[in-house]
């Protein structure tokens, strides 16, 4: 190889290595010196229900609207807003008789974000909540928001006006790609174990995850057919996932935010043991995945039963080829299915769920027919606020798959 050719190849390598992905999230944080949470105590779990609720916003309406929803997801609270599709990701501690929240706010459809610190004062519910007691008066949250650094300047005041609407078992808020995409600038990568754990903080009751096979037959989570800088770090690995053994993926590349590409077994173990999610939709990407994951699903269901965890895991069938691979299984070995094709095909395999794309509309007659056949109906992938509201108000679907579960959660919980 000539010296000129070698220099050209090196230049290309440097250029490729500098591209990376454009989805580096900015996560505003308080430094250790700034934070008030250090040394605080855990908040009694029984107090979560008395903080969960619909809040009237008395100050901060220009940024977050006049109504918000506070909901604990696992051990951490989140706030979902109607205006600007905003949401807060928070941590909370009890400092004496005061509840302190710290974290960040973000607009779901934009990149704007900033820090926030909120309080429930002793005489506004903090004293009782810190002790695990039901407040006798109105719970009021006060504090300030700001930018990614510097002083917090915008005042926030929120008053709890009613309890949160229960997320009943016959409606599911489902996070796409484990809870959110890389392009939505969350602190963890799509289709990672970390995202599955984060999903509850975004308002999810279930998640959809993407399943492919490596060259040595290991089911993993990965959306695209090929390795690419949208999803992984490491430009030296290119081409289809199916060209690589699992050990190669684990050793030589990571997801966009540095996490390992998980096996399906690792992902499901995370969902069962580290979350309260009650539903997992396996989006099967190739027909060979269908028979390969059957033993694993049996193992996971047994483990969930042993732990007393109620979690439903269904095999999504998005194409004719994958549908046929499912039909080729002995009927006794077929796991519950979610059929994305016609209602007739859902009926033919006795699918647990029929799931059409949202652009087909609310399809009331078809959904009613599914219900009459003891099937549920989910819709995918619904992201537009106007249509989310329409489907919740006018439709009768049992679940919504979305890239913006915070917005679906807000609209669902505030609906009377």
């Amino acid at each position: 190889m000539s010296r000129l050719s070698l220099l050209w190849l090196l230049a290309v390598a440097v250029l490729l290595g500098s591209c990376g992905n454009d989805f580096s999230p900015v996560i505003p944080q308080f430094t250790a010196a700034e934070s008030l949470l250090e040394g605080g105590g855990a908040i009694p779990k029984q107090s979560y229900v008395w903080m969960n609720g619909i809040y009237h916003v008395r100050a901060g309406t220009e940024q977050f609207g006049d109504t918000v929803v506070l909901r604990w997801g696992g051990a951490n609270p989140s706030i979902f807003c109607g205006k600007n599709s905003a949401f807060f990701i928070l941590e909370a501690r009890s400092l004496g008789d005061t509840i302190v929240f710290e974290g960040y706010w973000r607009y779901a459809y934009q990149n704007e974000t900033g820090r926030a610190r909120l309080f429930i004062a002793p005489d506004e519910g903090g004293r009782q909540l810190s002790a695990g007691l039901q407040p006798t008066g109105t719970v009021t949250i006060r504090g300030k928001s700001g930018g990614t650094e510097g002083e917090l300047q915008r005042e926030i005041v929120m008053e709890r006006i009613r309890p949160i609407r229960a997320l009943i078992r016959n409606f599911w808020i489902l996070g796409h790609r484990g809870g959110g995409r890389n392009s939505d600038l969350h602190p963890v990568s799509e289709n990672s174990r970390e995202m599955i754990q984060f999903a509850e903080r975004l308002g999810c009751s279930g998640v959809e995850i993407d399943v492919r096979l490596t060259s040595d037959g290991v089911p993993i989570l990965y959306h695209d057919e090929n390795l690419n800088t949208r999803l992984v770090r490491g430009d030296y690995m290119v081409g289809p996932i199916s060209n690589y053994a699992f050990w190669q993926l684990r050793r030589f590349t990571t997801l966009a935010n540095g996490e390992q590409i998980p096996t399906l077994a690792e992902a499901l173990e995370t969902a069962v043991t580290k979350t309260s999610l009650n539903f997992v939709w396996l989006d099967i990407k190739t027909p060979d995945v269908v028979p390969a994951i059957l033993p694993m699903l049996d193992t996971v269901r047994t483990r969930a039963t042993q732990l007393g965890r109620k979690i439903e895991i269904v095999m999504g069938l998005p194409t004719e080829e994958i549908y046929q691979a499912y039909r080729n299984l002995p009927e006794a070995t077929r796991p519950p299915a979610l059929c994305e094709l016609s209602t007739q095909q859902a009926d033919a395999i006795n699918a647990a769920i029929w799931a059409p794309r949202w652009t087909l509309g609310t399809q009331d007659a078809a959904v009613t027919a599914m219900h009459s056949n003891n099937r549920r109906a989910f819709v995918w992938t619904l992201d537009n606020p106007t249509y989310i509201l329409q489907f919740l108000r006018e439709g009768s679907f049992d679940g919504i798959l979305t890239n913006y579960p915070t917005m679906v959660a807000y609209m669902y919980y505030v609906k009377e």
Side-chain angles (χ1 to χ4, degrees):
M1 180 182 293
S2 71
R3 184 171 181 273
L4 182 61
S5 297
L6 180 59
L7 289 173
W8 182 84
L9 286 174
L10 288 172
V12 170
V14 170
L15 178 63
L16 287 173
S18 67
C19 292
N21 65 64
D22 296 323
F23 307 134
S24 301
V26 175
I27 308 301
Q29 295 179 327
F30 292 92
T31 66
E34 294 172 320
S35 177
L36 302 180
L37 299 183
E38 187 67 29
I43 295 170
K45 289 185 178 180
Q46 59 266 37
S47 292
Y48 296 178
V49 69
W50 297 315
M51 281 183 273
N52 285 345
I54 311 301
Y55 286 72
H56 171 65
V57 181
R58 285 176 34 204
T61 55
E62 70 288 348
Q63 189 172 14
F64 304 116
D66 59 8
T67 304
V68 301
V69 177
L70 186 149
R71 179 179 179 269
W72 285 74
N76 295 287
S78 299
I79 296 175
F80 310 127
C81 315
K83 188 170 183 179
N84 297 321
S85 304
F87 61 93
F88 291 71
I89 300 296
L90 302 167
E91 295 184 13
R93 296 289 186 274
S94 174
L95 296 180
D97 290 340
T98 300
I99 304 293
V100 181
F101 306 87
E102 286 184 352
Y104 65 92
W105 60 268
R106 178 179 292 282
Y107 295 153
Y109 298 95
Q110 304 172 37
N111 295 340
E112 191 172 352
T113 185
R115 301 188 300 174
R117 179 183 286 130
L118 308 170
F119 302 90
I120 303 178
D123 59 350
E124 294 184 316
R127 182 174 294 107
Q128 291 95 337
L129 292 168
S130 297
L133 302 174
Q134 182 173 4
T136 54
T138 300
V139 173
T140 301
I141 299 174
R142 302 177 186 272
K144 291 185 177 181
S145 67
T148 56
E149 56 186 19
E151 293 186 12
L152 306 179
Q153 298 178 333
R154 295 180 177 177
E155 185 182 8
I156 301 172
V157 180
M158 308 172 178
E159 289 184 347
R160 187 175 185 268
I161 55 176
R162 66 176 187 271
I164 200 168
R165 183 180 185 219
L167 184 58
I168 49 182
R169 287 273 311 172
N170 64 355
F171 188 84
W172 285 261
I173 299 171
L174 305 168
H176 193 215
R177 303 187 191 180
R181 301 169 299 182
N182 291 349
S183 57
D184 294 314
L185 304 178
H186 294 301
V188 289
S189 301
E190 64 185 67
N191 277 312
S192 66
R193 284 173 285 178
E194 291 79 2
M195 178 58 81
I196 292 169
Q197 290 182 256
F198 191 65
E200 287 181 282
R201 305 191 70 177
L202 300 174
C204 297
S205 57
V207 294
E208 178 254 25
I209 53 179
D210 301 293
V211 188
R212 293 187 178 275
L213 286 186
T214 62
S215 64
D216 52 343
V218 178
I220 63 167
L221 267 56
Y222 197 83
H223 181 272
D224 295 0
E225 179 181 0
N226 296 316
L227 290 164
N228 58 68
T229 55
R230 187 185 73 81
L231 296 179
V232 297
R233 298 177 179 177
D235 296 319
Y236 41 84
M237 293 186 71
V238 296
I241 282 283
S242 57
N243 285 355
Y244 294 92
F246 175 67
W247 73 266
Q248 293 173 307
L249 296 173
R250 182 55 63 89
R251 181 172 179 180
F252 294 116
T253 194
T254 63
L255 294 172
N257 291 305
E259 309 93 338
Q260 294 178 330
I261 296 176
T263 66
L264 177 59
E266 291 170 338
L268 293 178
E269 173 73 8
T270 296
V272 168
T273 62
K274 296 185 178 180
T275 79
S276 299
L277 298 169
N278 59 39
F279 191 93
V280 179
W281 171 346
L282 306 179
D283 188 9
I284 306 301
K285 291 301 185 182
T286 56
D288 54 354
V289 172
V290 172
I293 66 175
L294 293 182
M296 180 192 314
L297 295 184
D298 289 338
T299 299
V300 171
R301 290 193 183 94
T302 299
R303 174 128 169 90
T305 299
Q306 291 170 343
L307 296 173
R309 278 282 280 120
K310 293 182 179 179
I311 185 167
E312 186 177 4
I313 304 169
V314 301
M315 186 179 289
L317 311 176
T319 69
E320 294 285 351
E321 294 77 15
I322 293 169
Y323 178 84
Q324 191 57 50
Y326 180 85
R327 292 202 71 172
N328 290 340
L329 296 174
E331 190 169 350
T333 68
R334 294 177 187 171
L338 178 150
C339 181
E340 299 180 35
L341 306 174
S342 68
T343 56
Q344 292 80 11
Q345 288 168 294
D347 287 334
I349 59 170
N350 194 27
I353 301 161
W354 173 61
R357 65 182 184 275
W358 77 268
T359 52
L360 297 174
T362 55
Q363 301 189 81
D364 294 335
V367 173
T368 298
M370 290 293 98
H371 290 165
S372 67
N373 289 332
N374 199 31
R375 305 192 206 295
R376 285 162 287 166
F378 292 173
V379 63
W380 59 270
T381 299
L382 184 50
D383 293 339
N384 183 285
T386 300
Y387 289 109
I388 292 171
L389 187 58
Q390 178 189 348
F391 274 69
L392 286 172
R393 285 180 172 174
E394 303 173 12
S396 52
F397 280 97
D398 305 290
I400 292 175
L401 175 66
T402 180
N403 290 303
Y404 300 107
T406 56
M407 177 54 61
V408 176
Y410 171 80
M411 293 183 181
Y412 177 83
Y413 288 122
V414 300
K415 188 176 75 167
E416 294 287 356

